[in-house]
Every structure is written in C-alpha cells, then in structure tokens.
Amino acid sequence: MSEHMKTIFDFVKPTRYRYVHICKECDQPSFSNESSSEEPCIRCGANSYHVTPYYNPSEDYALDVDYYAITMMYALWKEGLHQTQVVFDDFYRKAPFVRGVGEFSTELGGYVAFGGLGHLIDTIENLYFNESDINYLREQSEGFDEAFLDDLRKLRFSGDLHAVEEGNIVFPNTPLIRIEAPVWECIWIEAMLLNIINAESLVLTKGARIKTIAGNDGLLEMGKRRAQGRDASVNGAKMAYIAGFDATSNVKAGKQFSMPITGTQAHVFIMFHPSELEAFLAYAEVFPEKTIPLLDTTDTLGSGLPHAIETARRLEEKGYEMTAVRLDSGDLAYLSKKVRKRLDEEGLKHVKIAATNDLDEYTIASLKQQGAKVDIWGVGTKFITAYDNPALGGVHKIVARRPLHSELESNQYTKDDWVALIKISESIEKILNPGRKKVYRLFGDDGMAKGDYVCLEHESLEGKDEILLKHPRNPLKAKRIRDFQAVELLQPIFEGGKLVYNVPSLSEVRDYHAFQKQSFWEEYLRLEVPEVYPVSLSDELTEMKNQLIHEKREG
C-alpha cells in the first residue's frame, strides 16, 4: 500500500492501545490502555476528556461468532481446559451445482474451487477483543467472570494453520484447512472461518464453471446490485477475477483489490436523451475509444442497431473504432446472429457483440450450442448469488486432542500423544475421518491429477511406486496408481500464531487457479454428470477409523 493510502490504524495499532481520549477543550486525541487519565492535554493543558474504546471498525472481528462459541469458551475456561491443544479439519461433503448421478450409484461428482484464504489470513491477523466487545459481553445475563474477560483481552490466534492454496481445486471430504491450536481458539474462529471460506469458495466455484464454458470469450462480472450485501458483492467480484473473468463493474472491488473495472451505459442514459441516436452520439463524444451502445431500449434490430451503425460511422470520421454493441434482452442467439450479419455487411467486423441478461454457465452453453455470435458475456445475478446453489456446506470439526489430565494420570497416554476423535452418525457420509491428517495429490507424468490420498500426519509416500486408491465406502471400486508424483496440498500458513506464508498477489492467485484447473481432465469439470474424482484414505487411517467406530458402538 502506498504511503498516501495509509490510515491512522497503520500507525497507531488498536491491538496496542485500548482507548482513545479526546480533549473536551481542543479535541486533541491521545491513546492509552487505561479508561481514565489525570494527565493534562499535551496541546492545551486541560484534563477533561471524552473516552471511547479504540478499534478499527473494518477489523471488528472478535464477536463475528455464534453465541454458543462464547459460552463454550467460558465453560472450558471454568474447567481449566481451554488451553488444551486440539486439531480441527475444515472440509465439505457435497459439491455444489452438479446435476445428474456420477459413476457411483449414490454419489455425485463435482468440485469446489477453494477461495477466501487471503480474506481469512487478513481476518486472523487482526483478530482480538476490543473494549467495546468486552463491555458488551459484560452486559450479558451469563455473568462472565472478570478474569475471563481479562483473558479475552489478551487472546490472539496462537496456533498452526495449514491450508490448500487459494484457487486450487478440492473435492468432498478432503481437508481444506487443518488447525492445531488451543481448543477455545478453534471454537472462537469457527463461524468467521466458515462464513468466509464457504461464501467465497462457492462463488469462486460458480465463476470457475462459467469460465469453463466461456473459454476465451470476454467475461465480465456485473452482479453488484443483486448481491446479498456490500461485502458479498466486493468479495464476489474478487472471486470472479480469480476464476478468470476479465473485469468487474464493481468500483469498490476494483479499488480494494487493484482489479480491472469496466462500464458503459444503461437504459437510463438512453431514455434521458430526446432520442436513441442522440444518446449514442453523446456517449461516443465523451468516450470515443470505449463506445458500446445498448441496442434494446426501443427496438434492437429496427432502431438500436441502425443507430449504433450510424454512431460507428461518426466515430470513424474522427479516427476511432466502435468497441462493441450490447444485447440485454430477447432471443440472444437469434439477435446476435442478425446483428453480426448486419455489422459484417457494413464493414464493421471489428465491432464485438456483448450479451447480458441473467446469464449463467448453462445459458451460455446453450447459446453457444445455438451458434450465438457473442464475443463478451456479462454475468451478474446468477453468478454473484450462486443462484442455483446458495450455500456451500463446509464444516469445522474436531478430529484430535492432547490427552486430558485424567488420561495422563492413568498412563493411558503420554503428554506428547494425540487422541484421535470421531463423530458417529446414522448417515455414513457424516462419519468423520479422525486424527491429524495430510493430503497428497497424485499427478501422472503428463501433469494430470490422478487422485487424492488422505493419510495420517506421520505417513509418507516416499519410496512408494504404487498406490491403490480405494473408494472410502464402495469396496468394489479401486484405482491403482503407478508412476506418480505426490504433492502435499496443505501448506503452512500460520505457525505459532505467526504468518509464515508468502501471500500471493491477486494476479498470482488467478494464474495459479488457471494452472491447477488445467491439471484435471474435463470429465471431472463438466457441468452435468461429472465423473467422481478418486479420493482415498490410507490403510492406516481406514483401520483407525474402523477401530474407533467399533469402540464407540461397543462402548
């Protein structure tokens, strides 16, 4: 960030000071960790102040939780167990958007493009309870101890966090994030983590699907007005750019993330002028190098197109070329073919055709199949809202912990052991994979992904020249992999609460996403009836899981 873009929060950190004192006489601010001060004002000498908690409203994250997180944190604190080290996995069970049934009779294929890591990193780095938060909790009927509230003042994320890199492709039941930290920290960050990762991964996945169909055509994001709130529109535009969209109409997102922005004219501009032609010419006068008339205000073929051609002629007289024309309603396949034919006949082959109007991957695929002559697709509502699948069901689950005091006293475990934990469910797909795990992606000599291998943290693939990928629930389904290169997916992001990851730029994430996407056969990425990508548990992990299930049911 350039020097002129910095704010007071870059110089006076809210994590260092708890209060700001404003002199009642001269408005001189001073910063302190105390709620009162007898020191005279350094500017006018007065000693009467307005006092308010000091924090950055844009980084007000600590209470971005479900209330049961606070009550569980308090109960664990009262038991003296809040600092117990645990392992949490974050993953999803079912891929969004897919249609049809995959190869396994009860299982759908599909994927998720992992988004939100950059946002999550920023949140965790600025995560603390400010005095306003503490005061709010003090007012609740639970009557939290002051000592607990004082510990919250000092609370920061202190653990290790490993994650798949943003933009990569991930599959059901594969850990996207692994966290090792005190249990009350893992509970604290659950809601905000899932909110960020679920929302941004969902929209990135939708964008990735649209990009798959659009191919090398121009692709614009324009969903600001239909997004579920300002943050959703800004972060959604960011996900669109990672997915491969060329630009966004969202100016706030453009400024915040240094993304390309674009925009031309709406119907209001044309309706405001006495005539359609006057509107086109007026806009072209101001933006001669970026003129894209909107054709459908009156009559797309009978009025809009002839007036656009006239505008193109006027631009040519001044040495400019019209950029494109836009279709926003009607039969886009039919109209685009008619418009293309007429433009070509008029010697305007360089003029592109842009189309908007509730487009998504299915509509674009259908229009292409019909031979639509569209060069640029503007996608809004159905992208930014993930219209046909409005939520990703990512979860945050405990899978291991350090031994409790009673377990150590009985010599059942040593203090360095991890106790694997499992959640049993009547639904097979909801039974957790226990223990501290890591994930390998197996690539062939051609650079294409062959499958993912989930194993316990201490396991290694070094020296193995063959792996049998077994379907976790179908014993008849297996795939033998040879001549592979194994790449570990979960990368260290935080260690001991400190950021150790070199956060890539947005353009680097975009390039990384495109590269990773190219490593999967189209059968795994297609819109309907996608092939099920192989994800297998190691034999040791499978044995541990089965043993824990048996123990739970016998116990």
Side-chain angles (χ1 to χ4, degrees), residues 30 32 65 70 81 85 164 228 245 256 270 272 407 427 434 460 544:
S30 60
S32 172
V65 299
I70 302 297
L81 297 175
Q85 290 286 318
V164 172
Q228 275 89 351
F245 286 50
Q256 185 168 333
I270 300 166
F272 173 81
E407 294 169 326
S427 301
S460 172
M544 172 194 280

Side-chain angles (χ1 to χ4, degrees), residues 34 36 44 83 114 133 232 244 246 277 338 383 440 499 538:
E34 304 300 327
S36 62
C44 72
Q83 295 286 5
F114 179 59
D133 300 331
D246 298 293
L277 179 59
K338 287 290 187 180
F383 161 74
Y440 288 104
L499 181 65
S538 71

Side-chain angles (χ1 to χ4, degrees), residues 235-253:
N235 291 309
K238 178 185 178 184
M239 294 302 106
Y241 191 65
I242 292 173
F245 286 50
D246 298 293
T248 179
S249 67
N250 191 317
V251 181
K252 176 66 176 178

Side-chain angles (χ1 to χ4, degrees), residues 338-353:
K338 287 290 187 180
V339 169
R340 179 77 276 155
K341 184 174 185 295
R342 179 72 185 280
L343 290 174
D344 289 352
E345 290 172 349
E346 295 288 340
L348 297 172
K349 293 184 177 181
H350 60 276
V351 176
K352 295 183 177 180
I353 299 175

